[in-house]
Amino acid sequence: MNLYPYLKAIESGRTINATRFITLLNNEHVNFESLGVAEFVRHERYFIHISNYDLFDKLLAKYAPSRSRIHAAKQGNSHRHSAHSAYLTAKFGVNAQTLIAIECTPKKTPEEMSNFDHSTPVILIENSDCFTFSEDFIVAMELEDIGAESLIIFSSGNAITHKQTQRFLSQFERVYYCPDYDLAGLEIFETLQKQLGDKIIFTMPSNLACYYGHCHKPDKQQQFIKALNKAHHWRFDELTSLFSKGLGFIEQEIFLGEECEQ
């Protein structure tokens, strides 16, 4: 949790959970005693009396919501704020020899970002090797019927969820999202689905579940439980079966070289 809501509450003279606030300060290597003192009001609620206003103002400026990428950089982490524009690497058709750079920017309407027809199928491929060897990968995804006439985009993880990228994708009738089959892949799909609705398709081969032997366990069991629940929620039966049999996740590169285990 960010320090900013606590700092704003203190600035406004409201009570806060001092224990949680002090813990957050310690995580940022700030000693509470150098900032002020706490006055008990009731269970877990304290007034904070600031004694070092210079330090308080610096903390308020540092943890305030960033106004721009430049402002975020001055706060010490430019990634706290979304970049102004996004750039996509793409190709038209699995056999294309030329790559396309697409600028997704608020200065352009979705139609101005490229000259592709709205009916053009779009295929989002998560990882670079699968994008490089897209002909084999798209066959494995059972999309070969549309592969030659599709706009194939290297989606590069969470980068595809950029606001301007989603604006660009919104102009197309069908977007096939080919993820890693893990919690992150499901969460990216959910983010895109909020903007694109039924236009986006979570793509799975019909024999996905038989790759269960290649599953690896996540670092935290809670990640697996959360992913399994999401697969159930979306009624992704093949994915639910994969998770249940393999008790873990797989990355999409597996489809470039491994045979399905029957």
Side-chain angles (χ1 to χ4, degrees):
M1 184 178 291
N2 195 298
L3 274 167
Y4 186 69
Y6 291 91
L7 296 169
K8 288 298 291 182
I10 293 169
E11 185 182 48
S12 300
R14 303 195 305 273
T15 62
I16 65 167
N17 183 328
T19 302
R20 180 60 178 154
F21 177 61
I22 292 171
T23 298
L24 291 173
L25 286 176
N26 290 337
N27 291 342
E28 300 301 323
H29 308 291
V30 177
N31 186 342
F32 173 71
E33 293 180 355
S34 66
L35 180 65
V37 295
E39 177 188 350
F40 177 79
V41 177
R42 61 181 184 277
H43 179 63
E44 293 188 345
R45 308 305 297 179
Y46 292 78
F47 279 119
I48 305 299
H49 300 282
I50 300 300
S51 58
N52 187 337
Y53 283 96
D54 183 55
L55 175 58
F56 181 79
D57 289 343
K58 287 180 180 178
L59 290 172
L60 201 58
K62 181 177 181 180
Y63 294 101
S66 56
R67 300 185 300 273
S68 67
R69 192 81 167 187
I70 296 170
H71 181 213
K74 291 179 179 179
Q75 291 177 310
N77 182 4
S78 64
H79 296 286
R80 290 181 63 197
H81 195 93
S82 179
H84 177 270
S85 300
Y87 297 85
L88 297 173
T89 300
K91 55 188 174 183
F92 184 67
V94 293
N95 297 314
Q97 299 300 308
T98 303
L99 296 181
I100 304 164
I102 301 172
E103 181 188 29
C104 302
T105 171
K107 295 180 180 179
K108 297 179 179 179
T109 66
E111 292 79 8
E112 291 173 329
M113 295 179 195
S114 77
N115 58 0
F116 289 97
D117 187 88
H118 294 185
S119 62
T120 302
V122 175
I123 300 175
L124 306 178
I125 298 181
E126 173 82 7
N127 297 313
S128 60
D129 272 10
C130 294
F131 177 78
T132 300
F133 303 106
S134 58
E135 185 172 9
D136 290 340
F137 179 74
I138 284 175
V139 169
M141 293 295 106
E142 301 170 4
L143 297 175
E144 62 268 30
D145 289 346
I146 63 170
E149 301 297 325
S150 292
L151 179 62
I152 302 171
I153 295 174
F154 173 39
S155 60
S156 188
N158 202 52
I160 197 65
T161 63
H162 189 284
K163 180 179 179 180
Q164 301 307 325
T165 300
Q166 293 191 66
R167 283 183 64 238
F168 168 71
L169 294 175
S170 67
Q171 69 180 302
F172 296 99
E173 295 174 0
R174 284 289 180 270
V175 179
Y176 297 85
Y177 174 52
C178 303
D180 287 329
Y181 298 106
D182 57 13
L183 178 58
L186 283 161
E187 290 179 336
I188 292 170
F189 165 76
E190 289 179 331
T191 300
L192 294 172
Q193 197 274 338
K194 289 177 182 178
Q195 174 70 27
L196 303 178
D198 293 339
K199 292 181 177 182
I200 189 162
I201 300 167
F202 188 92
T203 306
M204 299 171 283
S206 60
N207 64 346
L208 175 63
C210 72
Y211 285 88
Y212 71 93
H214 299 290
C215 285
H216 61 275
K217 293 183 178 180
D219 295 333
K220 298 180 180 178
Q221 186 182 21
Q222 189 60 35
Q223 294 177 334
F224 175 75
I225 295 172
K226 190 174 181 180
L228 182 60
N229 288 337
K230 288 181 181 294
H232 275 297
H233 170 77
W234 291 104
R235 298 180 181 178
F236 295 156
D237 294 339
E238 276 294 311
L239 185 59
T240 300
S241 181
L242 172 77
F243 288 164
S244 299
K245 290 181 178 180
L247 300 178
F249 304 143
I250 62 172
E251 297 177 336
Q252 64 177 207
E253 288 92 341
I254 203 71
F255 300 102
L256 292 178
E258 294 293 336
E259 295 294 330
C260 182
E261 297 180 5
Q262 301 292 343

